[in-house]
Amino acid sequence: MNIRVGYGYDVHQLADGEEFWLGGIKLDYHKGAVGHSDADVLIHVICDALLGAANLRDIGFHFADTDPEYKGIDSKILLDKTVALIRSRGYEIGNIDVTVSLQKPKINPHIPEMKKCLAKVMNIKEDDLSIKATTTEKLGFVGREEGVDAHAVVLIYKIDGNKIENQYGH
């Protein structure tokens, strides 16, 4: 079995009057994330981590923010395309661990709905997706409510039937 780990990081500015999409769901808040797509930072880090684990570059390479096709696109579509791409290379998702840093709004009450939504998009068990929330104790751009950031770590695997050999050929 070939096991790979990927890491993703993303940040989006928050602005008044923008819609706030996070984890595939729309949050009711007076600020939202700014971006070329729907600016769902949680989905973007998952895409980046999956692509990185499969050595397929990053989200910007596959879905450029200069491409009008992706202007305002629902990030769940990008996630679906990313998962299809890694699966076309023979990989499956082992698990995903995401941390979102956001001062306000509090997202803990929304995590079960986010997990349900994203697990369905990726066709994985909800138990294979961990979403955690934190604040920065009012420090930095997150603490000043100027932005949101997220980190993700993923494990993917490929079962190709071949024995994996160590450096000595065993």
Side-chain angles (χ1 to χ4, degrees):
M1 183 179 344
N2 182 357
I3 298 173
R4 293 171 160 251
V5 174
Y7 171 77
Y9 173 75
D10 197 20
V11 61
H12 282 278
Q13 179 182 4
L14 293 177
D16 285 320
E18 296 287 332
E19 290 185 347
F20 199 1
W21 287 90
L22 191 64
I25 66 171
K26 186 177 175 185
L27 301 180
D28 185 23
Y29 195 60
H30 67 94
K31 288 184 177 184
V34 177
H36 184 70
S37 65
D38 64 6
D40 190 324
V41 69
L42 195 156
I43 290 179
H44 294 178
V45 296
I46 292 173
C47 290
D48 256 354
L50 289 169
L51 291 166
N55 197 19
L56 294 171
R57 304 203 42 184
D58 59 40
I59 191 172
F61 178 79
H62 292 277
F63 313 110
D65 64 3
T66 55
D67 189 334
E69 177 183 352
Y70 303 116
K71 179 69 178 160
I73 195 168
D74 182 338
S75 291
K76 291 187 293 293
I77 295 169
L78 304 180
L79 180 59
D80 182 59
K81 290 176 180 279
T82 298
V83 172
L85 181 59
I86 70 157
R87 286 190 172 133
S88 75
R89 302 289 173 99
Y91 291 103
E92 277 301 327
I93 297 168
N95 73 301
I96 300 170
D97 185 21
V98 181
T99 302
V100 177
S101 297
L102 184 64
Q103 199 64 42
K104 288 182 185 174
K106 298 296 184 192
I107 65 167
N108 272 320
H110 305 285
I111 289 175
E113 185 181 358
M114 291 177 188
K115 287 180 63 168
K116 182 176 183 176
C117 174
L118 298 180
K120 183 177 179 182
V121 170
M122 294 183 282
N123 194 25
I124 63 173
K125 295 181 286 189
E126 288 181 43
D127 192 49
D128 292 335
L129 173 61
S130 169
I131 300 173
K132 305 178 304 296
T134 190
T135 69
T136 58
E137 302 297 328
K138 300 187 180 181
L139 299 173
F141 70 88
V142 170
R144 292 187 301 272
E145 300 179 43
E146 297 169 356
V148 55
D149 75 1
H151 301 260
V153 178
V154 304
L155 181 133
I156 63 173
Y157 62 92
K158 181 190 285 189
I159 301 175
D160 59 9
N162 297 326
K163 178 182 172 189
I164 296 178
E165 296 181 356
N166 66 21
Q167 64 185 359
Y168 305 107
H170 298 95

